[in-house]
Amino acid sequence: MRYSLTIEALHTAYRSGELTPSDLIDQLLAAADVYGHDAAWITRLTREQLAPYLQRLEGESPESLPLYGIPFALKDNIDLADIPTTAGSPAFAYTPSESAFVVQQLIAAGAIPLGKTNLDQFATGLVGERALEVYGTPANAFDPTLVPGGSSSGSAVVTAAGMVSFALGTDTAGSGRVPACFHNLYGVKPSLGLLSTRGVVPACATLDTISLFTLTADDAANVLGITAAYDDQCAWSKRVDFAIHGKRYGKAPAAFRFGVPLEAQWQTDAAYTQGMHLAIAELEAIGGEKVELDCSPLLAAARLLYEGPWVAERYHVIRELMQSHPDAVHPVTFQITQGGATPLAVDAFDARYQLAEYKRQADALIRHVDVMLSPTTVTHPSKAEVAADPIGVNSRLGTWTNFMNLLDYSALAVPVGFSERGLPIGVTLFGPALADLELLSLARALEQRLMLPLGATDHPHPPLAELSIAAQDGSMELVVCGAHLQGLALNHQLTQRGGTLVSVTHSAPRYKLFALAGGAPKRPAMLRDDNGQAIEVEVWRLPIETLGSFLAGIPAPLGLGQVELADGSWKCGFICTAGALNEGGEAEEITQFGGWRGWLASQA
């Protein structure tokens, strides 16, 4: 393929007139047989079937349609109108009259579906080896002796091989991240409910999400922005406006804290250990501070997915097929799913209670950092290794993926380099629900430094466009100087709103500090004065959506305004007007103590 298939590259070629969507489709169809990845597809659309999608682009352009002429693929458990959906089983197949909601959004934006891709049957597996013989198993685009990763195997292969610009997968336990890791791709595992699952064959309906495979972080952000639309006909869809939460895609923050599991917990082979160390070094180079964390609660939660009653959700989807046509189900899939027939209802409640405790511990753990870094997976097995131990190897691959949806986290698989064998190695960035844009912004900063080739093609990474905006993480920093300091009487007003301590520092040497009359507890007033001095303060980070309730609880004459810190930066903090000092009694100047704690110590 002459052109790289990034959205920006294709739109540049369309604008210049050197390429049209029709030309591109002809080239892709002509090259399809040359790629040698037939098993990656279950259904490839013909030129005749693609004609309506090309006709609707007439009179349009990249300026009118954000995905104008962009080819994509979709996993064959996601509906495309008038094309069979098989979920990897001919006996299960049906032909939908309309496309899945997410697919509708893409087509409306100008994207062109080239076909349906192969998968681990019924989206059960992380190896890409659980397809029936009638479909074959996809070959890894880098080394055909290695597994492609599953269950979204075909979607990763066709994207990495340069057959489409992006592809849809699904991700319940890691099915969108493991194949991305094995193919030098960005694998977006969105927050649950962000993308509608209407028109998707469920694996575990309460944990499923459509996932995205892209060549670049910018492409991932573009596609996510189009597909993250509320669907009022989907029971699992959530109405989300990132802007309301102070979140957007752009430049990564200049300074941040990233959590890393204890190295003894990684369980990675030499190549993936190398990938972790490389990612740590790169994150530190762009302003990150590493914080090592004991991730035992996350790993314990991961084990619940297949050792607990969630297997019953998988059984729920295909139990009739298993009973009526057991030969239509892949033997490994049958063995795993059959376990879902036996749990009692009380087992489900026991597991939910245990998961709630793990989530409490995990949320408390990751609250100490801005983002988490982990391996995506622990090794890249061969097809022979999986054949010898199909369940054991699969289980190892899910070590760092299985807990994400159980804990309602957002995650992003990020390529970071290649092993000595020339195979892709990657890591995962993750965080709480709705951290999707923060993760992509940070991934883009890594991408800018690494500039890896695109997928498994020989196309070098194009220069990244300049972004003029800085990403926002949905929080703001607040300077406190009195009873809200850590451990003092009103600090709970910050911690109960999800506040975290960023730093202990000082104001610029231009402030006077007063203890206001009355009050229990006593309240400070920090006034800007050229004859003042530096005052000890703390900087706390508070979720932006909680700021309104915090502000409403601040009694007069205090308020929030801009406070200058010792490093010259200005941040939101407590201020008080000079005329208010004598209201209700005489205020006591306590500047000489250097801060509220110093004054409290003098009182003791």
Side-chain angles (χ1 to χ4, degrees):
M1 172 57 60
R2 173 186 169 191
Y3 299 95
S4 80
L5 295 186
T6 65
I7 295 172
E8 180 59 32
L10 290 180
H11 279 178
T12 298
Y14 291 154
R15 290 186 183 101
S16 70
E18 64 178 293
L19 184 68
T20 67
S22 183
D23 293 337
L24 176 66
I25 294 304
D26 288 339
Q27 292 181 35
L28 291 173
L29 292 177
D33 294 332
V34 178
Y35 284 125
H37 287 294
D38 285 348
W41 299 94
I42 287 182
T43 302
R44 237 176 27 213
L45 271 62
T46 65
R47 188 62 167 79
E48 182 179 7
Q49 289 173 313
L50 289 167
Y53 298 106
L54 291 167
Q55 289 169 3
R56 75 165 302 276
L57 298 182
E58 293 178 3
E60 304 287 356
S61 71
E63 280 62 50
S64 61
L65 295 175
L67 293 180
Y68 173 84
I70 302 300
F72 75 101
L74 55 154
K75 185 177 180 178
D76 200 16
N77 62 343
I78 304 172
D79 288 348
L80 179 63
D82 303 321
I83 302 296
T85 297
T86 71
S89 172
F92 177 86
Y94 62 91
T95 301
S97 59
E98 68 176 20
S99 297
F101 179 82
V102 164
V103 177
Q104 294 175 27
Q105 308 308 303
L106 294 171
I107 293 172
I112 304 171
L114 292 195
K116 312 288 291 295
T117 56
N118 205 345
L119 67 156
D120 279 335
Q121 191 186 54
F122 297 112
T124 300
L126 294 176
V127 291
E129 297 294 299
R130 297 177 182 172
L132 297 181
E133 187 175 349
V134 65
Y135 301 126
T137 54
N140 183 279
F142 284 86
D143 184 341
T145 69
L146 301 179
V147 300
S151 62
S152 309
S153 51
S155 291
V157 170
V158 300
T159 306
M163 305 166 93
V164 293
S165 295
F166 69 91
L168 302 182
T170 59
D171 194 319
T172 304
S175 295
R177 288 158 282 154
V178 171
C181 181
F182 290 167
H183 283 92
N184 189 37
L185 299 172
Y186 292 83
V188 180
K189 200 292 295 176
S191 299
L192 290 180
L194 191 57
L195 272 61
S196 167
T197 52
R198 179 159 60 96
V200 178
V201 178
C204 294
T206 59
L207 301 177
D208 292 339
T209 180
I210 288 178
S211 64
L212 310 176
F213 295 94
T214 68
L215 298 167
T216 68
D218 282 353
D219 283 2
N222 285 335
V223 176
L224 182 65
I226 290 163
T227 54
Y230 176 67
D231 178 7
D232 61 7
Q233 298 182 53
C234 175
W236 311 107
S237 185
K238 298 176 183 175
R239 193 185 300 274
V240 174
D241 186 333
F242 282 113
I244 289 177
H245 297 280
K247 299 171 183 286
R248 62 187 181 191
Y249 175 69
K251 293 181 179 179
F256 57 93
R257 289 157 56 87
F258 65 97
V260 179
L262 301 174
E263 188 162 354
Q265 296 176 329
W266 294 359
Q267 305 176 55
T268 45
D269 65 13
Y272 285 87
T273 299
Q274 172 195 345
M276 280 292 289
H277 285 299
L278 174 60
I280 290 169
E282 292 295 333
L283 288 172
E284 289 177 332
I286 61 176
E289 175 191 350
K290 183 181 75 169
V291 180
E292 289 191 311
L293 299 173
D294 180 355
C295 290
S296 297
L298 286 72
L299 297 172
R303 291 191 288 271
L304 282 177
L305 189 63
Y306 284 100
E307 296 175 10
W310 281 273
V311 179
E313 269 200 284
R314 296 181 183 271
Y315 178 71
H316 177 268
V317 176
I318 61 171
R319 60 181 172 180
E320 292 182 6
L321 183 66
M322 291 174 65
Q323 293 166 1
S324 62
H325 296 86
D327 293 342
V329 182
H330 189 281
V332 177
T333 304
F334 191 100
Q335 179 183 350
I336 293 169
T337 308
Q338 184 63 32
T342 56
L344 302 173
V346 70
D347 297 328
F349 285 105
D350 286 343
R352 288 295 301 177
Y353 301 156
Q354 186 63 71
L355 178 61
E357 175 58 23
Y358 290 149
K359 181 166 176 59
R360 182 191 68 79
Q361 296 173 16
D363 288 352
L365 186 73
I366 70 171
R367 198 173 292 129
H368 295 290
V369 296
D370 299 301
V371 67
M372 287 292 297
L373 168 73
S374 76
T376 296
T377 188
V378 298
T379 189
H380 193 165
S382 67
K383 288 176 174 284
E385 289 172 322
V386 171
D389 183 14
I391 295 178
V393 172
N394 188 94
S395 179
R396 286 195 65 211
L397 295 186
T399 301
W400 289 100
T401 61
N402 286 349
F403 61 80
M404 294 292 184
N405 285 355
L406 283 170
L407 297 176
D408 196 16
Y409 291 163
S410 53
L412 174 66
V414 182
V416 294
F418 294 89
S419 69
E420 293 180 356
R421 294 178 55 193
L423 299 173
I425 49 179
V427 296
T428 288
L429 299 174
F430 71 93
L434 303 185
D436 308 79
L437 300 187
E438 301 152 54
L439 303 181
L440 281 166
S441 299
L442 196 55
R444 190 185 198 272
L446 291 174
E447 182 181 20
Q448 178 78 62
R449 290 180 57 83
L450 298 169
M451 298 298 281
L452 302 176
L454 301 178
T457 71
D458 58 1
H459 290 292
H461 199 296
L464 270 64
E466 184 64 28
L467 291 181
S468 59
I469 61 172
Q472 293 181 346
D473 65 357
S475 67
M476 68 174 297
E477 292 184 345
L478 184 68
V479 179
V480 299
C481 62
H484 287 93
L485 294 169
Q486 188 174 36
L488 298 188
L490 298 181
N491 183 248
H492 66 91
Q493 294 181 355
L494 297 174
T495 57
Q496 288 177 350
R497 290 172 170 81
T500 55
L501 179 63
V502 175
S503 64
V504 178
T505 183
H506 288 82
S507 71
R510 283 178 286 278
Y511 287 90
K512 289 185 176 181
L513 186 65
F514 296 83
L516 296 177
K522 281 282 192 177
R523 294 169 295 151
M526 198 166 77
L527 298 180
R528 188 172 176 84
D529 191 309
D530 288 341
N531 296 317
Q533 67 179 57
I535 303 298
E536 184 180 1
V537 297
E538 290 177 356
V539 179
W540 284 73
R541 180 174 289 121
L542 200 64
I544 201 165
E545 58 263 31
T546 67
L547 189 63
S549 65
F550 182 76
L551 179 60
I554 299 174
L558 299 178
L560 295 182
Q562 292 296 302
V563 176
E564 185 183 9
L565 297 183
D567 62 3
S569 63
W570 290 79
K571 297 184 186 297
C572 184
F574 280 91
I575 60 171
C576 180
T577 58
L581 288 180
N582 294 324
E583 293 180 7
E586 191 71 26
E588 177 186 358
E589 182 175 353
I590 57 174
T591 309
Q592 66 271 26
F593 296 104
W596 195 252
R597 290 187 191 277
W599 176 68
L600 289 179
S602 74
Q603 299 300 294

